[in-house]
Amino acid sequence: MALERTFSIIKPDATRRNLTGAINAKFEEAGLRIVAQKRIQMTKAQAGKFYEVHAERPFYDELCDFMCSAPVVVQVLEGEGAIAKNREIMGATNPADAAPGTIRAEFAESVGENSVHGSDAPETAAVEIAYFFAGLELVG
Ligand code: ADP
C-alpha cells in the first residue's frame, strides 16, 4: 500500500474538552504520523467554503456554526493507506453506529458534534490539505 497523506480536523467539541492529545494518541498508535498541525479559529465563511459540498443538506448552517464555535486543530496525517486508515480510526459519522475503540465511539457527542473530520478520498485530501496548509508547512 502506498504512503498517503490525509487531512484531519479535531473539531470544536473535542478542543473544548481538551481531547487533542487523546485523539492524537489514537492516530500515532495506529501508525499515522502528524506531519503538520495548527490550532485555528475558523470564520463562518471559511467553514462554509470547507463544507460547500453539504450546502444543500438540512444540517449545513448548524454545521458551519458549530465548526466556528471554538478553535479547531487542523492536521495532515501521513502513513500507509492513511485515508482509509484514518476513516477506520474515526469510526462512523454517528457515534451510535461507531465501532468500539474508534474516536467517535469514545469521544463524539452527537452525529453533528462528532469530534473529528477526515478526508474520504485522495482527491478531497489534496484539496482540503491545500485549503489550510502551504507546502512548506508539511514536514514528513
Ligand atoms: P463524515 O464526517 O463522517 O465524512 P459526512 O461527510 O456525511 O460525514 O458529514 C460531514 C459532517 O456533517 C459530519 O461529520 C457531521 O459533523 C455533520 N453531519 C452529518 N450528518 C449530520 C446530521 N444528520 N445532523 C447533523 N450534522 C450532521
Side-chain angles (χ1 to χ4, degrees):
M1 202 176 281
L3 197 65
E4 274 181 343
R5 285 176 172 174
T6 191
F7 176 71
S8 165
I9 304 179
I10 300 179
K11 294 184 178 182
D13 67 284
T15 62
R16 268 195 207 105
R17 288 176 290 148
N18 268 357
L19 292 171
T20 300
I23 290 172
N24 279 346
K26 295 268 195 195
F27 296 142
E28 292 187 332
E29 279 159 17
L32 293 176
R33 184 180 302 279
I34 302 162
V35 298
Q37 174 167 262
K38 58 190 173 189
R39 183 173 166 97
I40 61 166
Q41 170 75 56
M42 272 200 265
T43 64
K44 189 161 179 181
Q46 289 166 340
K49 174 90 181 137
F50 179 73
Y51 275 121
E52 206 168 35
V53 61
H54 295 305
E56 301 308 319
R57 309 278 285 275
F59 56 80
Y60 177 67
D61 194 55
E62 178 192 333
L63 175 62
C64 295
D65 280 337
F66 165 60
M67 290 301 289
C68 63
S69 66
V72 297
V73 176
V74 293
Q75 328 175 281
V76 180
L77 308 177
E78 182 182 87
E80 299 287 319
I83 296 168
K85 184 179 277 187
N86 184 38
R87 298 285 298 184
E88 198 180 311
I89 299 164
M90 288 163 57
T93 309
N94 186 342
D97 302 328
T102 60
I103 292 169
R104 284 166 166 171
E106 288 193 16
F107 303 125
E109 299 197 297
S110 65
V111 64
E113 306 207 358
N114 59 2
S115 304
V116 279
H117 164 85
S119 307
D120 60 3
E123 300 71 30
T124 46
V127 170
E128 291 174 357
I129 289 170
Y131 187 56
F132 289 99
F133 290 99
L136 282 172
E137 293 180 286
L138 277 56
V139 185

